[in-house]
Amino acid sequence: PRTSGFLDVAGIEVHYQAILAVRDVSLTVDDGAVVALLGANGAGKSTTLKAISNLLGPERGTVTRGSISWRGEPVSRLTPAVLVARGVVQVLEGRHCFPQLTIEENLLSGAFLRRPGRRQIAQDLEQIYAWFPRLKHKRRTKAGLTSGGEQQMAAIGRALMTKPKLVLLDEPSMGLAPIVVQEIFEIIRTLNREKGVSFLVAEQNATLALRHADYGYILENGRVAASGPAADLAAREDVKAFYLGGA
Ligand code: ATP
C-alpha cells in the first residue's frame, strides 16, 4: 500500500479485550492534507484516532496487528505527550474543556508542554483569537458557561497552542447547530491553508466533511469500505445512497 512518510496507518486491528473494534484499517495522511474519516456510529473512527495518538492502553484497547508510523517512526514507541511534542495532537470527542477554567485558561493549558515565554504566549493567543473571534469575546468566561460551539472552538484552539503539524479531530460536529459546524470546518480550511496544518477528521456528517476535505475514508464495521479523493467519493452512487442520503 501507499505510504506518505507523514502519517501512515498500515493494516491495524484493535481489540477491546475480546471485542474486535477495528479489523483492518490502512490509511495515510499527506503533509498538508485534510482527510475525512467517515462512517456510522461504532464503525471504528474514534478507536482509529486513539490508536494513532497512542491513547489506547491495556484496559482501553490494544493494537493487535499492523503498524502506525508518524514521519517514519512507529508511534507505539512514543507516549501521547511525546507525540504532541513531535506535532500530533488529538481533540477528543465531546470537546473536553475544563469547565471551571476560563476560555483563555483553557487555551493556555495547551501551551504547557512547550513552556514558551510570555511574549510568545501572548502572540500565540492573539493568533488563536484571530482565527476564532468568538473566543476572544469569551476569553474571561468560564468554559462551562459558553456554548457548545465555543467549547469545541476552545478545544481546537487549545490543541493549536501545541503548534501541531497534524490534528486528529474527533466528531467536531457532535451536538452543534449546522451553522456552527460550517464555521468550524471553514476555520479548519483556513488553518490548513495559512499554516499548513494537516487534519484527520472523524465525522458522521459525511456530506459536510467531504465538502471540506481533500481525501476521505469510509469505515464500516472496523474496515475501510471505500476511499478516494473527497470529490470522487461524494459523487459515487453507492456512497451517496449509503452515507449522503437525505443530506
Ligand atoms: P462513535 O461515533 O460512536 O465514536 P466510532 O466510529 O468512533 O463511533 P468507535 O468508538 O471506534 O466507533 O467504536 C468501535 C467499536 O468498538 C464499537 O463496536 C464500540 O462499541 C467498541 N468500543 C469502543 N470503545 C470501547 C471500549 N472502551 N470498550 C469496549 N468496546 C469499545
Side-chain angles (χ1 to χ4, degrees), residues 10 20 45 71 118 136 165-166 169 194 233-234 244-245:
L20 182 56
K45 307 182 294 297
R71 294 182 143 180
R118 262 198 207 175
K136 187 163 190 173
K165 301 261 184 288
L166 171 66
L169 194 50
E194 288 183 8
L233 273 184
L244 309 178

Side-chain angles (χ1 to χ4, degrees), residues 101-104 106 137-146:
L101 298 185
T102 65
I103 288 290
E104 186 150 299
N106 269 279
H137 295 125
K138 298 285 172 83
R139 64 203 291 176
R140 309 265 174 249
T141 307
K142 283 188 179 176
L145 301 175
T146 65

Side-chain angles (χ1 to χ4, degrees), residues 38-226:
L38 309 169
N41 208 322
K45 307 182 294 297
S46 298
T47 302
T48 300
L49 293 190
K50 285 182 188 155
I52 294 168
S53 52
N54 233 338
L55 291 172
L56 299 173
E59 259 108 74
R60 288 160 289 160
T62 322
V63 178
T64 39
R65 281 184 67 156
S67 65
I68 302 170
S69 53
W70 168 241
R71 294 182 143 180
E73 186 170 4
V75 301
S76 56
R77 296 198 203 130
L78 310 170
T79 64
V82 170
L83 267 167
V84 170
R86 302 261 176 105
V88 182
V89 67
Q90 177 157 2
V91 180
L92 291 166
E93 187 174 342
R95 310 190 266 276
H96 292 276
C97 284
F98 300 108
Q100 299 296 336
L101 298 185
T102 65
I103 288 290
E104 186 150 299
E105 288 163 344
N106 269 279
L107 293 176
L108 288 172
S109 72
F112 137 89
L113 276 173
R114 284 194 297 131
R115 304 182 160 278
R118 262 198 207 175
R119 286 201 20 217
Q120 186 62 52
I121 286 201
Q123 260 178 33
D124 293 350
L125 276 177
E126 277 319 306
Q127 175 69 82
I128 302 288
Y129 291 142
W131 286 318
F132 301 93
R134 282 170 181 245
L135 295 185
K136 187 163 190 173
H137 295 125
K138 298 285 172 83
R139 64 203 291 176
R140 309 265 174 249
T141 307
K142 283 188 179 176
L145 301 175
T146 65
S147 71
E150 287 156 353
Q151 290 181 38
Q152 180 62 270
M153 290 176 193
I156 297 171
R158 181 178 56 193
L160 293 173
M161 288 294 279
T162 70
K163 297 273 167 91
K165 301 261 184 288
L166 171 66
V167 178
L168 309 169
L169 194 50
D170 199 351
E171 208 82 48
S173 76
M174 199 170 73
L176 302 181
I179 184 98
V180 178
V181 177
Q182 180 72 24
E183 203 177 323
I184 287 171
F185 271 98
E186 277 162 18
I187 294 168
I188 290 171
R189 259 306 174 197
T190 304
L191 292 166
N192 175 253
R193 235 184 358 249
E194 288 183 8
K195 292 282 165 182
V197 181
S198 305
F199 286 87
L200 178 58
V201 187
E203 248 311 325
Q204 284 193 46
N205 188 334
T207 308
L208 186 72
L210 286 176
R211 201 178 297 145
H212 291 89
D214 300 306
Y215 204 87
Y217 292 87
I218 300 179
L219 298 190
E220 229 175 71
N221 292 318
R223 281 200 183 87
V224 177

